[in-house]
Amino acid sequence: WLYAAKPSNLWTKLGLFESRVAVGDYKAAEAMLDDMTALAPNEEALKRARRDWQIHNSRELVVNSRLGKSSDQTGVSPNSHESVIDAHFYDSPIKNDWRPFLHTQITRAGLPTLSVRKIVVGAGTEYQIRDLNVGGELLKVGDSGLGYALKGGYHIGDHWRFNARLDQKSLAT
């Protein structure tokens, strides 16, 4: 209601900017940041907003790993182990909504008598607008040739998010 009563209020715009970034409405967030900067270019409170926007526009490296080991002597795979390193390098966003990336995954798994290693490399892009993100990737999975992966997600409110993924080549070891 404060924005409706006084749309030029800097603090209201700052709160709306943060909300727009949180839900992925980057075009509106950028416009709002430009408006705030024009309204009060030297305002100290805008430093964090400009820093958040700079981070959004930066490159990003995301690395996930997991390790697993079974000491179960009676199960289907006794003394098995697995290790996975999965890395995505995201370039700066293109027009706020598109984000190209490179991807690699190194997986090792083994039993006492067998060891398997698989390397995946890929390149793709993600597209994100408010509440919706989709992406695609071309993959080279070990020696098995080229494949692709498609993914999408839809964010409903604060508590619900639906995601789906289709891999034409299996990433499982």
Side-chain angles (χ1 to χ4, degrees), residues 57-135:
N57 288 321
S58 297
R59 293 176 174 156
E60 182 178 14
L61 176 64
V62 178
V63 179
N64 292 300
S65 65
R66 66 180 179 269
L67 299 169
K69 184 171 181 166
S70 170
S71 60
D72 182 9
Q73 299 297 320
T74 61
V76 175
S77 53
N79 293 323
S80 62
H81 66 275
E82 176 187 45
S83 62
V84 178
I85 297 176
D86 190 62
H88 284 79
F89 176 73
Y90 293 92
D91 201 0
S92 300
I94 300 169
K95 295 189 178 189
N96 291 323
D97 300 328
W98 292 94
R99 192 156 213 168
F101 64 87
L102 298 173
H103 172 217
T104 188
Q105 183 183 78
I106 301 169
T107 305
R108 290 181 50 175
L111 298 168
T113 59
L114 175 68
S115 183
V116 178
R117 182 173 171 226
K118 183 169 63 173
I119 298 176
V120 176
V121 292
T125 189
E126 291 183 347
Y127 177 74
Q128 181 175 348
I129 56 174
R130 183 185 173 116
D131 300 329
L132 175 71
N133 69 318
V134 294

Side-chain angles (χ1 to χ4, degrees), residues 35-56:
D35 288 347
M36 290 186 297
T37 302
L39 184 65
N42 298 322
E43 176 60 47
E44 193 70 25
L46 286 178
K47 280 185 178 179
R48 191 179 89 220
R50 284 194 283 272
R51 177 71 179 139
D52 288 347
W53 192 248
Q54 180 184 13
I55 290 169
H56 163 72

